[in-house]
């Protein structure tokens, strides 16, 4: 049996999520028909089964999951829904997979605006369409006021790994180039400066984007790339440290080559935060053999998400497990893992 | 960025370094008082670039590091109370008390919020009239005007659900304490530019004369610091115990008199405990009697709380420039940023944290 | 101890009886209390600490010291074409 999608009529103002929306009864159905299905419907979801039945292409399968809890839920450049789709798509793509299917689970706080929820669902639908993935199954729970912060979203994703591609954090070799796809810190500073209480009237925009399109083009051109990561939480510093640690090699980067947008830099200076420690949601770190680096850069720069791609450093034999930055003054310092949450500081 | 990038010019920095190398005829020990300057020196690797003859020792100018353990303990107690919204600069949240920090209080249900300005804390008080809003007013002279204004404005508007834990400290008495110590090795000072932006540098002139040391107020960017080191070195080589202001774009001799006036209206000079160092007479600020109703320690009746430090932590010696962080037996062993024994391992300005983050295994670089 | 960053004032307003302003820090805009710099004009640079403008930056003094330093560069050991990032030149 299929249910024809209901007309996406605008929801009434002031309408909010009720406990009954998650109780499986009539209100749950209303929520499905009025908020979720109009935007997400497809041949899998339309069946309203408890599971999606998938046919996967031959080859190895990649499978990943991530849970999104961002506050504020709406931020300049995106919202939690877009983030939940793009983040999981990127987690598949950096493993060399072609992302195919996503699942999504919502935890909604009682009292959360249904208009806001619908906006988030619409963003998920368009993000999925842009990334070429299908949301095939989902679930919604409602918790009492104060038991979660507005809305949490989990997405899991499945993709098929490309033939002949072997990306791993353990693959780094001396002499490899480290390539960064663009400016650092945009997402984290967009979130931080849009939080209440920090006196910002800023318009720093999140870089939230699906990277599978660009990654596909890069891997078509250069399948022998050694490693790829999306530098989300902990920023580029955390990603580079993980790569150096996993491969037991050193990484050396140049301070002058790290691209930072002017307003992001301004906000980082003001709050005393290192842009290398700030989260990104649409950036890519690649480790490539030096002789392929020009080709990779050219492919990336031709893509909208890689226009500012640049070589930021290289893999070295010295100081295994450590990332070292060469400063503009010729001195060197350790680029360490950030310690937990980035806090604005006055000193 | 205007007024930043000019002072990060590598060419200028290298030429200043050459001048420093050329002019240093013997070993000199210079202390940068301010933790912000320590952070910048280590982050930019300036200490690696200096000739061996110039030894930089790192001073106690980190309010987070010197806020006494008992203030932290009192803050933790107040923050844990129902109906309290505890507000603080981000810096203080990871500072360890005896067994907890503010993050842990938050995880146990305390309403702990980070603010960028003390006025943001006051706004939270306006918005939540049924809650008690407490602000952790830490800082040196630089932050005193901001903290004073929050209290002054609360009084003016009659915002009675607002109070502060004051941990305000001042530089000149700490300098005198360091110079009076029998273990003192410091021969010249870089004075903290932003403290001097408020207070001016007049008050350093008697210190320079009495203790026969040159004092050079300077900024925080690499070129400012190198120029400050060069000037201190020149004064040392010439045997001149003077105050020479190298942060002229921000610092004047008299400082900011509007800010000083508000500080004086709200605060009075007190003796003050410095974490790891001990009592320094006349080195702190407390609320004047007119404003004592905004004293959170009295309001919440926690003035009796006392606490003592881990005996393993040598932060007192580090803060006085007697011990380098990596010479402490606990450094990077029992004491790390994840499990700090003392505040100097927590604050991004803390000398121990700066060494840990940027310098650890420096020999292998 | 005190992170204070230069920014350019582009708006002045009153809030709860306090003189406040919006300051542009390299494109990031933040609010600051201007009570301690009552003479500040729009377009001037000030340094911001904990949401307060501490001091108007003295442009003449800044230009003066940069001029002195420029002379140092001109007579200095390192010239603009030198490779400064190399450790060998240390």
């Amino acid at each position: 049996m299929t249910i024809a999608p209901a007309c996406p009529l605008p929801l009434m103002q002031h309408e909010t999520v009720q406990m009954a929306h998650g109780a499986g009864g009539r209100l749950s159905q209303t929520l499905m028909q009025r908020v979720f299905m109009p935007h997400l419907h497809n041949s899998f979801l339309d069946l309203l089964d408890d599971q999606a039945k998938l046919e996967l292409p031959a080859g190895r399968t990649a499978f990943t999951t991530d849970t999104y809890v961002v506050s504020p839920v709406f931020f300049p450049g995106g919202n939690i829904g877009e983030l939940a789709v793009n983040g999981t798509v990127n987690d598949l793509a950096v493993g060399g997979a072609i992302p195919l299917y996503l699942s999504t689970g919502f935890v909604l706080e009682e009292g959360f605006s249904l208009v806001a929820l619908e906006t988030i669902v619409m963003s998920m639908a368009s993000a999925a369409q842009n990334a070429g993935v299908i949301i095939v199954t989902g679930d919604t729970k409602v918790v009492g006021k104060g038991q979660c912060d507005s809305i949490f979203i989990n997405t899991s994703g499945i993709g098929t790994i490309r033939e002949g591609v072997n990306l791993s954090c353990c693959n780094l070799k001396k002499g490899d180039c480290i390539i960064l796809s663009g400016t650092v810190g945009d997402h984290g500073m967009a979130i931080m400066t849009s939080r209440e209480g920090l006196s910002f009237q800023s318009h720093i925009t999140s870089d939230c984007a699906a990277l599978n399109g660009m990654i596909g083009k890069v891997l078509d051109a250069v399948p022998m790339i050694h490693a790829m990561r999306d530098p989300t939480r902990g920023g580029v510093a955390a990603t580079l440290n993980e790569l150096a640690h996993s491969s037991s090699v050193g990484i050396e980067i140049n301070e002058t080559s790290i691209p930072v947008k002017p307003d992001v830099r301004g906000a980082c200076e003001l709050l005393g935060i290192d842009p290398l420690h700030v989260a990104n949601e649409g950036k890519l770190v690649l480790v490539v053999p030096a002789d392929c680096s020009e080709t990779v850069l050219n492919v990336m720069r031709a893509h909208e998400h890689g226009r500012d791609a640049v070589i930021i450093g290289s893999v070295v034999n010295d100081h295994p497990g450590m990332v070292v930055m060469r400063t503009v003054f010729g001195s060197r310092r350790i680029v360490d893992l950030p310690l937990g949450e980035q806090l604005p500081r006055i000193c | 960025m205007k007024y930043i990038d000019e002072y990060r010019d590598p060419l200028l920095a290298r030429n200043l370094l050459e001048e420093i190398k050329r002019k240093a005829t013997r070993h000199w020990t210079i202390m940068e008082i301010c933790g912000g300057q320590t952070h910048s020196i280590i982050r930019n690797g300036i200490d690696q670039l200096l000739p061996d003859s110039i030894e930089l020792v790192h001073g106690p100018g980190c309010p987070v590091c010197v806020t006494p353990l008992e203030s932290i303990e009192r803050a933790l107690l107040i923050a844990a109370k129902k109906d309290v919204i505890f507000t603080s600069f981000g810096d203080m949240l990871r500072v360890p008390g005896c067994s907890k920090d503010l993050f842990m209080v938050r995880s146990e249900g305390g309403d702990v919020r980070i603010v960028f300005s003390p006025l943001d804390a006051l706004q939270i008080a306006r918005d939540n009239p049924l809650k008690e809003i407490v602000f952790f007013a830490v800082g040196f002279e630089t932050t005193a005007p901001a903290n004073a204004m929050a209290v002054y404005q609360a009084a003016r508007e009659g915002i009675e659900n607002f109070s502060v834990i004051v941990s305000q400290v001042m530089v000149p008495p700490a300098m005198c304490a360091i110079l009076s110590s029998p273990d003192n090795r410091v021969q010249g000072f870089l004075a903290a530019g932003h403290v001097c932006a408020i207070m001016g540098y007049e008050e350093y002139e008697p210190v320079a004369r009495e203790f026969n040391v040159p004092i050079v107020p300077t900024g925080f960017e690499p070129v400012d610091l190198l120029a400050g080191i060069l000037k201190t070195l020149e004064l040392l080589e010439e045997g001149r115990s003077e105050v020479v202001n190298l942060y002229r774009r921000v610092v004047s001799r008299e400082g900011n008199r509007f800010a000083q006036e508000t500080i004086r209206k709200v605060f009075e000079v007190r003796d003050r405990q410095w974490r790891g160092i001990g009592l320094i007479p006349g080195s702190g600020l407390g609320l004047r009697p007119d404003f004592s109703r905004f004293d959170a320690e009295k309001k919440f009746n926690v003035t009796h709380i006392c606490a003592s430090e881990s005996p393993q932590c040598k932060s007192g010696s580090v803060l006085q420039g007697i011990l380098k962080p990596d010479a402490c037996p606990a450094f990077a062993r029992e004491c790390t940023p994840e499990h700090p024994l003392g505040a100097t391992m927590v604050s991004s300005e803390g000398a121990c944290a700066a060494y840990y983050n940027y310098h650890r295994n420096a020999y292998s670089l | 101890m005190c992170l204070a960053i230069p920014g350019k004032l582009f708006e002045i307003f009153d809030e709860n009886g306090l003189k406040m302003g919006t300051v542009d820090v390299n494109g990031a805009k933040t609010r600051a209390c201007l009570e301690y710099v009552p003479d500040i004009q729009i377009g001037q640079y000030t340094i911001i600490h904990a949401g307060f403008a501490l001091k108007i930056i003295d442009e003449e003094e800044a230009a003066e010291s940069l001029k002195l330093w420029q002379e140092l560069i001109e007579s200095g050991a390192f010239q603009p074409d030198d490779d400064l990032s190399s450790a060998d030149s240390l």
Side-chain angles (χ1 to χ4, degrees):
Chain A
M1 185 190 86
T2 58
I3 290 181
C7 191
L9 286 172
L11 289 158
M12 277 164 54
Q13 290 289 324
H14 313 300
E15 212 178 334
T16 58
V17 172
Q18 306 297 310
M19 289 303 283
H21 278 125
R26 187 169 299 189
L27 264 183
S28 294
Q29 274 195 2
T30 314
L31 193 67
M32 277 300 289
Q33 284 165 9
R34 289 181 61 187
V35 178
F36 290 109
M37 291 306 278
H39 307 292
L40 296 179
H41 78 94
N42 55 49
S43 60
F44 296 93
L45 282 178
D46 289 350
L47 298 174
L48 294 176
D49 282 335
D50 279 345
Q51 71 295 118
K53 300 175 186 76
L54 310 171
E55 300 233 0
L56 292 175
R60 287 192 300 159
T61 300
F63 179 39
T64 186
T65 189
D66 207 340
T67 303
Y68 299 83
V69 296
V70 65
S71 170
V73 167
F74 293 89
F75 46 84
N79 64 48
I80 189 171
E82 221 174 310
L83 199 63
V85 170
N86 291 339
T88 295
V89 163
N90 292 346
D91 283 347
L92 289 170
V94 293
I98 299 165
L100 299 170
Y101 305 113
L102 300 190
S103 72
T104 176
F106 294 86
V107 178
L108 305 175
E109 185 187 20
E110 184 184 16
F112 184 61
S113 153
L114 283 177
V115 175
L117 177 61
E118 186 172 21
T119 309
I120 289 165
V121 171
M122 284 163 70
S123 299
M124 293 182 79
S126 72
Q129 195 181 4
N130 285 341
V133 293
I134 307 173
I135 297 173
V136 293
T137 186
D139 175 56
T140 304
K141 295 284 185 296
V142 178
V143 296
K145 186 86 186 161
Q147 292 182 302
C148 90
D149 185 5
S150 304
I151 175 172
F152 298 160
I153 302 177
N154 170 275
T155 52
S156 298
I158 288 183
T160 303
I161 297 175
R162 290 163 175 268
E163 288 280 337
V165 167
N166 178 26
L167 297 167
S168 163
C169 294
C170 306
N171 282 348
L172 276 64
K173 302 276 183 308
K174 182 187 182 248
D176 285 355
C177 284
I178 313 282
I179 293 177
L180 177 63
S181 67
T183 54
V184 297
D186 302 9
H187 177 72
M189 291 320 282
I191 297 293
M192 191 172 282
T193 55
S194 56
R195 279 196 188 135
E196 284 177 44
L198 283 182
S199 301
F200 271 95
Q201 306 177 344
S202 203
H203 303 288
I204 293 173
T205 308
S206 167
D207 55 353
C208 179
L211 299 170
N212 55 329
M214 179 171 71
I215 291 173
K217 291 216 157 53
V218 170
L219 288 174
D220 285 345
V222 185
M224 67 288 261
I225 284 177
H226 285 164
M228 252 190 229
R229 291 295 294 272
D230 52 336
T232 53
R233 276 175 307 171
V236 170
T239 296
L240 294 179
N241 271 285
E242 283 158 22
L243 289 168
H245 183 79
S246 299
S247 292
S248 298
V249 293
I251 290 178
E252 187 163 300
I253 57 174
N254 289 312
E255 188 169 27
T256 42
S257 61
I258 312 285
V260 187
K261 286 206 177 96
D263 53 353
V264 172
R265 190 183 153 207
C268 281
E269 294 279 355
L270 201 59
L271 299 177
I273 289 171
D274 186 339
L276 282 178
H277 286 165
V278 181
N280 311 276
E281 288 292 347
K283 292 298 168 353
L284 194 61
V285 170
L286 301 94
V287 186
V288 306
D291 54 358
C292 308
S293 60
E294 275 310 307
T295 315
V296 172
L297 279 177
N298 288 336
V299 173
M300 291 177 76
R301 285 173 182 161
H303 197 278
E304 61 167 331
H305 298 315
R307 240 178 265 126
D308 302 322
V310 65
I311 296 175
I312 60 165
S314 59
V315 177
V316 295
N317 273 344
D318 299 339
H319 50 80
M322 273 166 73
V323 182
V324 169
M325 175 183 273
R326 189 176 282 285
T327 71
V328 281
F329 309 105
S331 57
R332 301 204 279 181
R333 72 170 152 97
I334 296 171
V335 178
D336 211 350
L337 281 170
L339 183 74
E341 192 181 341
Q342 292 299 294
L343 304 174
R345 59 187 177 94
I346 56 138
C347 63
Chain B
M1 280 180 79
K2 195 173 178 190
Y3 295 118
I4 286 195
D5 291 340
E6 306 93 300
Y7 305 94
R8 293 182 187 172
D9 176 5
L11 182 61
L12 186 47
R14 292 303 276 276
N15 281 303
L16 285 164
L17 269 165
E18 278 310 299
E19 277 296 289
I20 290 170
K21 283 180 196 165
R22 201 170 63 79
K23 292 213 165 137
T25 64
R26 46 159 289 196
H27 184 274
W28 296 109
T29 304
I30 300 171
M31 173 179 274
E32 82 280 356
I33 272 284
C34 170
Q37 291 176 334
T38 304
H39 187 90
S40 179
I41 285 166
I42 307 286
R43 185 180 158 81
N44 292 296
I46 289 173
D47 52 337
Q48 299 166 35
L49 302 174
L50 287 171
D52 293 340
S53 52
I54 304 294
E55 184 188 357
L56 289 181
V57 294
H58 316 307
C62 163
V64 177
C65 302
V66 302
T67 294
L69 191 58
E70 56 197 34
S71 295
I72 311 269
E73 283 297 308
R74 291 168 186 181
L76 295 172
L77 265 180
I78 294 172
K81 285 186 194 286
K82 223 166 81 79
D83 299 326
V84 165
I85 301 175
F86 193 89
T87 56
S88 167
F89 297 127
D91 312 54
M92 293 305 291
L93 266 72
R94 281 196 202 102
V95 181
C98 292
S99 61
K100 282 182 193 173
D101 59 23
L102 283 165
F103 271 126
M104 288 165 80
V105 170
R106 190 170 76 178
S107 72
E108 291 164 5
D111 191 346
V112 177
R113 303 187 192 178
I114 295 170
V115 292
F116 178 60
S117 165
L119 294 182
D120 298 337
L122 203 55
Q123 186 58 42
I124 295 175
R126 287 190 200 97
D127 295 343
N128 297 274
L130 300 178
K131 295 268 188 179
E132 278 293 332
I133 284 60
V134 180
F135 176 65
F136 206 163
V138 303
F140 273 79
E141 293 95 322
T142 318
T143 319
N147 292 342
M149 183 59 82
V151 174
Y152 187 75
Q153 185 67 10
R156 226 182 56 153
E157 289 183 45
I159 302 175
E160 300 294 332
N161 63 328
F162 178 76
S163 57
V164 292
I165 299 175
V166 180
S167 180
Q168 283 285 162
V169 283
M170 296 188 292
V171 170
M175 274 169 86
C176 294
I178 289 164
L179 289 165
S180 306
S181 160
D183 298 323
N184 173 51
R185 302 189 299 124
V186 179
Q187 294 164 299
F189 281 99
L190 299 182
H194 295 144
V195 164
C196 297
I198 300 299
M199 302 308 292
Y201 58 86
E202 200 178 347
E203 60 182 349
Y204 294 89
E205 289 167 355
V207 181
R209 274 197 304 274
E210 184 186 338
F211 293 96
N212 201 24
V213 288
I215 300 174
V216 177
T218 191
F220 295 73
E221 300 305 330
V223 164
D224 287 317
L225 289 162
L226 286 167
I229 292 165
L230 176 61
K231 178 53 76 182
T232 313
L233 169 68
E234 285 170 356
L235 293 170
L236 284 166
E237 291 279 350
E238 291 164 27
R240 287 156 59 199
S241 307
E242 293 168 25
V243 180
V244 179
N245 176 22
L246 277 197
Y247 201 27
R248 299 169 73 99
R249 64 186 186 275
V250 170
V251 173
S252 63
R253 186 164 184 267
E254 65 280 7
N256 183 332
R257 62 186 173 83
F258 301 103
Q260 291 166 17
E261 201 178 308
T262 304
I263 295 174
R264 271 196 301 271
K265 273 186 198 155
V266 174
F267 294 125
E268 61 190 12
V269 175
R270 302 258 178 90
D271 296 346
R272 184 89 214 165
Q273 288 285 344
W274 292 52
R275 187 172 192 177
I277 297 179
L279 187 92
I280 303 178
S283 67
L285 295 172
L287 290 169
R288 282 190 182 280
D290 292 355
F291 295 94
S292 63
R293 67 185 187 283
F294 296 102
D295 184 338
E297 291 170 74
K298 287 189 184 138
K299 198 173 200 174
F300 293 93
N301 194 23
V302 292
T303 47
H304 60 285
I305 302 293
C306 297
S308 61
E309 292 285 349
S310 159
Q312 272 182 295
C313 179
K314 307 277 181 242
S315 62
S317 302
V318 170
L319 289 168
Q320 292 173 82
I322 296 164
L323 193 72
K324 286 269 164 111
D326 50 3
C328 171
F331 179 79
R333 293 184 186 89
E334 293 88 350
C335 185
T336 63
E338 287 84 4
H339 299 285
L341 292 178
T344 45
M345 186 52 99
V346 181
S347 161
S348 59
E349 280 204 347
C352 298
Y355 267 61
Y356 189 92
N357 289 333
Y358 299 133
H359 239 201
R360 186 166 26 108
N361 301 339
Y363 50 86
S364 71
L365 294 185
Chain C
M1 60 198 71
C2 309
L3 191 72
I5 296 297
K8 188 179 189 178
L9 183 70
F10 72 93
E11 185 186 27
I12 298 175
F13 55 93
D14 177 282
E15 193 176 84
N16 303 305
L18 291 177
K19 184 170 182 172
M20 301 290 290
T22 311
V23 178
D24 183 307
V25 181
N26 216 35
K29 293 170 185 62
T30 185
R31 284 147 30 90
C33 177
L34 306 177
E35 283 290 316
Y36 298 130
V37 287
D39 306 327
I40 195 166
Q41 307 283 318
I42 284 175
Q44 281 186 313
Y45 279 80
T46 172
I47 55 167
I48 312 295
H49 169 77
F52 280 72
L54 298 188
K55 203 87 198 303
I56 302 169
I57 293 180
D58 189 325
E59 300 198 22
E60 281 174 27
E61 289 286 5
E64 184 67 21
S65 43
L66 282 177
K67 209 177 103 201
L68 281 176
W69 286 333
Q70 194 55 43
E71 286 165 17
L72 175 71
I73 289 182
E74 277 154 21
S75 64
F78 287 96
Q79 294 302 312
D81 295 336
D82 292 344
D83 176 15
L84 298 167
S85 63
S86 157
D88 307 333
S89 60
L90 286 177

